[in-house]
Amino acid sequence: MISSGIQSLFKALSTALKNNNEESFKHLWHTESYTRNLVGPDGMSGDAVFTQAVNGSFTLIPEVNDVEELEGPDAYIIGCYLKPNEVSSTDNVDYRYILVGKDKTQQLFLWAMGETKEALLGLWSRLSQNAAATHSVENVTNPENIAPIISTEEAALELIKELNIAIFNNNEQLFSQYWLPRAYHFNLSADGGLSGREFYTQAVSQQWQLKGLLEYASLYDHPEAILIPCQLWLKMLDIPKNNDERMLLLVNSNGSLKALGMGTDLSEMRHLYLSYKGEALKG
């Protein structure tokens, strides 16, 4: 059954959407997760939820029989309908899951929304390993009081893990989701570089896997990005490929890290980031 606290949370969400009040809607989310999709391809950031809800004129209706209380710090996964305002029933409407936590004052707030319960359980597993993050929300409107949920480095390793899964399963559609479209179809990394599609084809045919060398990664800000060297690992032999190291440039695109390029020349990869930064500043 849904508690009065959860009912109040959904009522506040619906009121904020009805009044097109983003500030009120944002106040109900963890600061970092409002602007950043922490779930992955199946998730949405808070601002994406607000934009789609307002543009699509829908509200969030909790399913009273689909509430799971999670172990560890108080949290819940709640199923909910994305119900258009003009529809009177919940038939043939989209269904999502939200991850809800409690701050130190026992007030409920949203961590994330996702298409599957499994995606949110994966996020909660990562959050549970970061006690500072799960207990840090004294004032969700003040970023200075918020401990980072998932660092850029952790997000990069998660993305590389997903790339490896896609390669292992020969799933090009999944692999391409982690690249910016132009970087997937075109080599932006100059000599020694590959487009995402070219790398995918080689990696599948030769059964490569990527191993991120986090200790040698370079972090960038404004816009957020990480340049991370990767060993090519020969899956069948379980050894690294001799003298073959690639650099993967990941940039923050609408709250999620995406691959912008893969190359072998450090200066070219840095130049690629600077070019992307210039485009972002113009936008």
Side-chain angles (χ1 to χ4, degrees), residues 134-154:
T134 55
H135 289 292
S136 65
V137 194
E138 287 188 33
N139 177 4
V140 294
T141 62
N142 186 355
E144 294 181 358
N145 289 343
I146 303 299
I149 299 175
I150 296 178
S151 68
T152 302
E153 297 95 323
E154 290 172 317

Side-chain angles (χ1 to χ4, degrees), residues 11-23:
K11 181 178 180 180
L13 289 168
S14 296
T15 300
L17 292 174
K18 181 180 179 180
N19 295 329
N20 196 7
N21 188 332
E22 184 171 10
E23 194 61 34

Side-chain angles (χ1 to χ4, degrees), residues 118-242:
E118 290 73 22
L120 292 185
L121 286 172
L123 172 59
W124 182 245
S125 177
R126 299 194 297 273
L127 289 170
S128 298
Q129 298 171 16
N130 184 353
T134 55
H135 289 292
S136 65
V137 194
E138 287 188 33
N139 177 4
V140 294
T141 62
N142 186 355
E144 294 181 358
N145 289 343
I146 303 299
I149 299 175
I150 296 178
S151 68
T152 302
E153 297 95 323
E154 290 172 317
L157 292 180
E158 283 294 319
L159 186 147
I160 291 172
K161 177 182 176 182
E162 293 299 323
L163 292 177
N164 286 333
I165 290 173
I167 292 169
F168 183 78
N169 292 323
N170 197 7
N171 188 336
E172 184 176 2
Q173 181 178 1
L174 176 62
F175 188 86
S176 66
Q177 288 178 4
Y178 296 99
W179 291 71
L180 292 178
R182 59 181 171 138
Y184 190 71
H185 294 286
F186 302 100
N187 170 29
L188 307 179
S189 308
D191 293 341
L194 291 172
S195 68
R197 173 174 285 171
E198 288 172 327
F199 177 77
Y200 172 80
T201 301
Q202 293 185 22
V204 169
S205 64
Q206 301 184 47
Q207 297 187 344
W208 292 342
Q209 293 277 273
L210 290 166
K211 181 179 180 181
L213 304 176
L214 194 57
E215 61 270 30
Y216 302 112
S218 299
L219 288 167
Y220 303 104
D221 292 317
H222 311 301
E224 173 191 20
I226 182 170
L227 180 61
I228 180 168
C230 297
Q231 282 183 331
L232 290 184
W233 204 264
L234 303 175
K235 184 68 176 179
M236 290 296 292
L237 300 178
D238 200 28
I239 59 173
K241 192 170 182 285
N242 285 335

Side-chain angles (χ1 to χ4, degrees), residues 35-101:
T35 57
R36 185 174 179 183
N37 171 20
L38 303 173
V39 179
D42 291 335
M44 296 173 67
S45 61
D47 56 355
V49 175
F50 179 82
T51 300
Q52 292 193 24
V54 170
N55 291 341
S57 297
F58 67 75
T59 192
L60 305 174
I61 305 297
E63 170 52 64
V64 296
N65 296 315
D66 195 2
V67 179
E68 180 178 350
E69 187 170 359
L70 303 177
E71 296 180 358
D74 291 338
Y76 307 89
I77 290 181
I78 305 167
C80 62
Y81 299 98
L82 276 57
K83 190 173 81 67
N85 294 330
E86 68 275 9
V87 175
S88 59
S89 74
T90 56
D91 295 336
N92 300 317
V93 299
D94 287 336
Y95 195 77
R96 296 290 187 273
Y97 293 90
I98 61 172
L99 178 60
V100 174

